[in-house]
Amino acid sequence: RSRFPDRAGDFARRQVFLLVDQGLYQEAADQGRAFLETERAGVDDAIAIGNALRRSEQFEEAARILEMARVEAPDNATLAKVLSHTYLDQDMTLAAAEVMRQAAAFDPTLVSEAAELYRRAGWLMEALTLNAQVIDQAKKFKQRLAIFIELGRFDQAAGMRDDLERTGLLTDPQEGEDIRYALAYANFKAGDFAAAEQQLVTLERADLFRKATELRRVMEQCADEPWLCR
C-alpha cells in the first residue's frame, strides 16, 4: 500500500477477501469496516465485503456492514438483495421482507419479491397489499392465488380462473399444472366440484396425478357424506 498508494483501495479490498478465505472472520470484519470508513470505499465495496462474509456464514458481521451501507444508499437494489439474503440465511424472513419492501419504494420491480417474503413470513395481509402493486400481471396473479388459498379465501381464489387463463398461467409449460392443481383445490374448498374436476382432468405430471386422484376420492366422499366436509 505504501509503495503503490494509488492502489491502496485494491490492496485493502484484497486483504479482506484473503482474511475471509483463511477463516479469520473477525479480523476480516474489522479490516472491512476500517476500509469502508475511508474515502476510497464505495457501496460496491460494502456489497462485496458483506457478501463475502455472508458466504462464509458470518451473518451478523455481514448484516452489520450491509446495514451501514444501506443508510448511505437506500436505493441500491443489489445491496438490498444481498442484505435480504443475509437475513434469510438466518431464518429472519420478516426482516428480509422489510428490507425488500423499503427497497421497492425505489425500485418497483422488487415489490413482488417483497410480497413473497411477507407471504413466507406469514404476514398475508401485508403480502396481499403489496401484491396489488405488482406490475407484471402473470407474477401478480400467480402470487395472489397462493395468498388467497393461504388466507382461506377459496371463493376469491376460484374466481381467478379467467385472470389465470388470460395471462397464460394455466398453459405455462413449467408451472401450468401446479397452478391448475391449486385452482382445482380452491374450487374444491369452495364447493364447486365440477369446476375442480375441469382442472384435475388436464393434469399429467406423476406427482400431481396422484394428488388429483386423492382429491377426487375426497370429493366423492363429500358428495356421499356432505356432513364430513362441512
Side-chain angles (χ1 to χ4, degrees):
R1 292 184 201 180
S2 60
R3 188 173 175 185
F4 302 99
D6 60 319
R7 296 185 58 197
D10 293 335
F11 295 139
R13 229 177 272 115
R14 179 54 53 191
Q15 183 179 30
V16 173
F17 297 145
L18 288 171
L19 288 167
V20 169
D21 290 341
Q22 293 297 313
L24 301 171
Y25 303 122
Q26 188 57 56
E27 182 66 16
D30 292 343
Q31 292 284 345
R33 283 196 298 271
F35 169 61
L36 292 173
E37 290 174 0
T38 68
E39 60 183 18
R40 299 186 184 92
V43 175
D44 289 342
D45 295 310
I47 294 171
I49 292 170
N51 201 36
L53 289 166
R54 179 183 78 84
R55 291 181 179 278
S56 301
E57 299 185 359
Q58 303 306 300
F59 303 126
E60 291 185 11
E61 290 294 348
R64 190 174 292 114
I65 286 173
L66 294 166
E67 283 285 12
M68 289 173 60
R70 193 161 69 109
V71 173
E72 302 297 326
D75 59 340
N76 190 300
T78 302
L79 173 58
K81 289 179 181 179
V82 175
L83 179 57
S84 182
H85 281 297
T86 301
Y87 284 131
L88 284 176
D89 289 335
Q90 301 172 80
D91 295 322
M92 299 170 65
T93 308
L94 188 57
E98 182 61 15
V99 169
M100 293 304 289
R101 184 190 67 77
Q102 293 177 16
F106 300 96
D107 184 351
T109 64
L110 299 178
V111 172
S112 63
E113 294 181 50
E116 183 60 21
L117 288 171
Y118 274 110
R119 186 183 74 82
R120 287 168 57 182
W123 286 47
L124 299 178
M125 292 308 299
E126 184 71 23
L128 190 59
T129 299
L130 287 170
N131 173 264
Q133 303 171 33
V134 176
I135 298 171
D136 185 307
Q137 294 294 290
K139 280 185 180 179
K140 174 186 284 190
F141 293 134
K142 175 187 170 185
Q143 191 175 68
R144 183 173 295 177
L145 177 66
I147 295 170
F148 276 156
I149 290 175
E150 289 188 40
L151 281 169
R153 297 185 180 182
F154 301 113
D155 287 331
Q156 287 176 282
M160 290 184 63
R161 187 186 68 81
D162 289 345
D163 289 330
L164 297 171
E165 190 169 35
R166 176 171 52 81
T167 51
L169 286 167
L170 294 179
T171 54
D172 184 272
Q174 294 183 328
E175 298 180 292
E177 290 204 29
D178 289 302
I179 293 170
R180 281 188 181 277
Y181 179 79
L183 183 59
Y185 179 78
N187 277 288
F188 157 67
K189 295 294 287 184
D192 192 341
F193 296 170
E197 179 59 30
Q198 285 179 357
Q199 302 303 324
L200 294 177
V201 74
T202 66
L203 302 180
E204 297 180 352
R205 208 174 76 205
D207 61 324
L208 291 177
F209 188 84
R210 288 191 294 271
K211 285 185 176 182
T213 300
E214 176 61 20
L215 192 56
R216 285 192 181 99
R217 185 191 66 77
V218 175
M219 286 194 295
E220 288 177 5
Q221 188 176 24
C222 289
D224 295 336
E225 302 174 277
W227 60 273
L228 289 174
C229 302
R230 289 173 184 166

